Amino acid sequence: MAQPEANTKTSLSKVKEINVFVLLFAVLAIAVVLTYLIPAGEYARVDVNGRSVVDPQSFQFIESSPVKPLGLVNSVHTGMEEAAGIIFFVLIIGGTFGILTATGAIEALIVTLSRKLQNQEKWLIPIMMFFFAMGGTLMGMAEETIPYIAIMIPLAIALGFDAITGTAIVLVGASVGFTSAIMNPFTIGVAQGIAELPTFSGAGFRIGVFVVMYVVSVGFVYRYAMKVKKDRGQGFFGNYAGKSTEDMIRSDVKLTTSHKWILACFLINFVVLAFGVIKYGWYITEIAGLFLLLGIIIGLIGRLTPNTIVDSFMKGAAGLISGALVIGVARAIVVVLNDGHILDTILYYAATAINQVPATFSAFGMLVLQSLINFIVPSGSGQAALTMPIVTPLADLVGVTRQTAVLAFQFGDGISNIFTPTSGYFMAGLAVAGIPWIRWVKWILPLILTQYGIGAVAVIIAQMIGYGPF
């Protein structure tokens, strides 16, 4: 079924009135101005078990050193350099997913599962949402979900549901995984690296969060779907109203032996990754290398020519170039704050204010802060690059564990991704489905508020138990 490309572009152009780079450059300009207004100051850093930690008793004001106007544009290049490791990590992961998509294994798996569930529609929602949740939590599936919305909606309608149900299976499912981020390389991987935490550490707690988020979200979508099945008048069908779904259900797409081997390699990759991280302390260089090797292997198994493998890799990487560049520009803001020696002053004033409340509520405050920032910086890795250099030493100063600070970041970043109109892939998904943003918001708002409640409880518990290792 052809996707409504014209409608997608129109809807996106109306919603994305301010580009994220425009917002970041505005923040960058404000940061330069602040170097003239805020007194310069600095903390001493001490080494604790190989970690650079702020000495909370060492703050002192120093001679002002405001950033010159030329420093604004120079900082972008410097930020790109400082964030180069993370930027190329993101591009390599995206390239590998591009190869995986080109093999057709993911599409074949979804269509095959869909056929098997035609007469057992009650299992469609939990099974398919689990599939997308695993994609979100293990590989940061977000933009990659858009093509599957056009597959799931016809299936959902054929089984007696509607377009909102089909869209929710994909978007809410992936969001649950992306938010809980058991091994999401784009959020937890980047944020823990900046916070100097062991890569993917604290996974046990996040698995618990994943289970709770998954059960609550499946229950929410399932109850709505059953109401539509009982009364089609309560459903919304968007771009698919009145269209036949037989072509999709009778699709000749099949899960071949090579597809099964590709999916097996993909799962083995995560087992090897987990072993390497835990046993040998692998970080983004080793993880990127592992994904690059995976891409080559699955390309060969999928019988792609060398040229096709490279083209697919480039296409996948190109899809994430915007997010990768956001990381560099976000880092430029930190460069300006550091060059003007006001980052520590901001930390000093923030710590003074937050110290007036218990550390538990400080952790909750970090969740609120990250949620607000996500409305203007919807890129998970970009938000990590922007906020974690500031939040990490702040957490040290106010007695919040760094792991809890990262947890607050992942909730603040992830939950609103299928709610805020600045989230590009989310708005594109709604455009494909033909669902107005206001209609979607009215429907999903109770679930979003519930997830924020779960996130708040989780960060409070994390702080109470000293969620670590530190």
Side-chain angles (χ1 to χ4, degrees):
M1 185 177 294
Q3 296 182 10
E5 296 181 1
N7 291 341
T8 300
K9 294 178 181 178
T10 301
S11 298
L12 286 176
S13 63
K14 290 180 179 178
V15 175
K16 296 182 68 176
E17 296 177 357
I18 302 179
N19 187 281
V20 64
F21 288 100
V22 175
L23 291 169
L24 285 174
F25 270 99
V27 175
L28 185 59
I30 292 172
V32 171
V33 173
L34 289 178
T35 64
Y36 289 84
L37 302 177
I38 298 177
E42 64 181 9
Y43 282 103
R45 262 70 175 180
V46 295
D47 187 80
V48 178
N49 297 325
R51 294 182 289 120
S52 176
V53 179
V54 169
D55 179 357
Q57 308 301 323
S58 65
F59 180 80
Q60 60 181 355
F61 290 104
I62 62 174
E63 183 179 354
S64 180
S65 56
V67 174
K68 305 299 181 184
L70 185 60
L72 187 152
V73 289
N74 288 346
S75 66
V76 175
H77 181 264
T78 304
M80 294 287 183
E81 283 187 332
E82 292 187 2
I86 297 174
I87 289 173
F88 287 109
F89 170 72
V90 169
L91 293 178
I92 288 173
I93 299 293
T96 299
F97 293 151
I99 298 173
L100 178 64
T101 300
T103 65
I106 296 294
E107 180 182 3
L109 176 62
I110 291 176
V111 173
T112 299
L113 288 174
S114 299
R115 292 198 196 98
K116 293 182 180 296
L117 294 172
Q118 281 189 68
N119 299 319
Q120 303 178 54
E121 61 270 16
K122 66 180 181 179
W123 293 107
L124 173 74
I125 294 170
I127 290 177
M128 295 309 298
M129 284 187 69
F130 182 77
F131 169 80
F132 287 108
M134 291 303 293
T137 205
L138 295 179
M139 66 181 191
M141 178 181 279
E143 288 84 358
E144 298 83 2
T145 60
I146 296 174
Y148 304 116
I149 293 175
I151 297 175
M152 290 307 304
I153 290 178
L155 175 65
I157 293 174
L159 296 178
F161 307 131
D162 67 344
I164 289 181
T165 303
T167 304
I169 288 172
V170 180
L171 291 182
V172 176
S175 176
V176 165
F178 195 95
T179 300
S180 56
I182 297 173
M183 294 178 69
N184 183 345
F186 300 112
T187 54
I188 284 295
V190 174
Q192 287 185 332
I194 295 172
E196 299 180 295
L197 288 161
T199 306
F200 301 136
S201 57
F205 189 90
R206 295 195 299 278
I207 290 173
V209 172
F210 175 90
V211 172
V212 174
M213 287 277 195
Y214 170 77
V215 171
V216 169
S217 299
V218 167
F220 180 83
V221 176
Y222 186 86
R223 284 194 300 271
Y224 170 78
M226 291 302 110
K227 288 180 181 178
V228 173
K229 192 169 180 63
K230 290 180 181 179
D231 180 7
R232 301 278 283 188
Q234 295 191 36
F236 183 81
F237 299 88
N239 291 334
Y240 296 80
K243 293 185 178 181
S244 172
T245 58
E246 292 183 359
D247 291 339
M248 175 58 65
I249 302 302
R250 295 175 181 176
S251 172
D252 58 358
V253 175
K254 296 181 180 179
L255 189 66
T256 64
T257 300
S258 64
H259 288 153
K260 293 177 182 178
W261 277 109
I262 289 169
L263 295 171
C265 288
F266 195 76
L267 292 176
I268 292 171
N269 177 74
F270 281 101
V271 174
V272 175
L273 188 155
F275 178 79
V277 167
I278 295 171
K279 181 72 174 178
Y280 299 108
W282 286 359
Y283 187 44
I284 57 175
T285 297
E286 292 81 7
I287 296 173
L290 186 64
F291 270 93
L292 183 59
L293 177 62
L294 171 68
I296 296 171
I297 292 174
I298 63 178
L300 294 175
I301 294 176
R303 298 178 182 177
L304 303 179
T305 65
N307 284 349
T308 302
I309 291 175
V310 173
D311 291 341
S312 301
F313 181 92
M314 297 299 291
K315 183 177 180 180
L320 292 179
I321 190 68
S322 177
L325 291 176
V326 163
I327 297 173
V329 178
R331 185 68 182 184
I333 297 171
V334 179
V335 169
V336 167
L337 297 179
N338 276 323
D339 288 350
H341 295 96
I342 65 170
L343 179 59
D344 282 6
T345 305
I346 294 172
L347 290 174
Y348 173 72
Y349 287 133
T352 300
I354 293 178
N355 266 330
Q356 306 304 314
V357 299
T360 298
F361 294 102
S362 298
F364 174 74
M366 290 180 179
L367 168 60
V368 174
L369 174 64
Q370 295 284 9
S371 300
L372 294 174
I373 292 175
N374 194 53
F375 277 82
I376 60 173
V377 186
S379 165
S381 49
Q383 186 175 338
L386 174 64
T387 62
M388 291 313 298
I390 300 173
V391 170
T392 298
L394 179 60
D396 293 338
L397 288 170
V398 300
V400 173
T401 67
R402 292 189 178 188
Q403 196 75 277
T404 301
V406 171
L407 190 71
F409 151 73
Q410 73 183 66
F411 291 150
D413 166 69
I415 294 174
S416 64
N417 280 340
I418 54 169
F419 174 77
T420 173
T422 55
S423 176
Y425 86 89
F426 157 63
M427 295 305 298
L430 291 190
V432 169
I435 302 173
W437 180 73
I438 294 297
R439 173 133 194 167
W440 175 268
V441 168
K442 289 180 178 178
W443 175 76
I444 203 171
L445 185 58
L447 176 61
I448 294 294
L449 294 176
T450 301
Q451 289 184 344
Y452 273 122
I454 294 171
V457 171
V459 296
I460 290 173
I461 293 174
Q463 181 58 25
M464 292 175 64
I465 65 175
Y467 182 41
F470 48 81

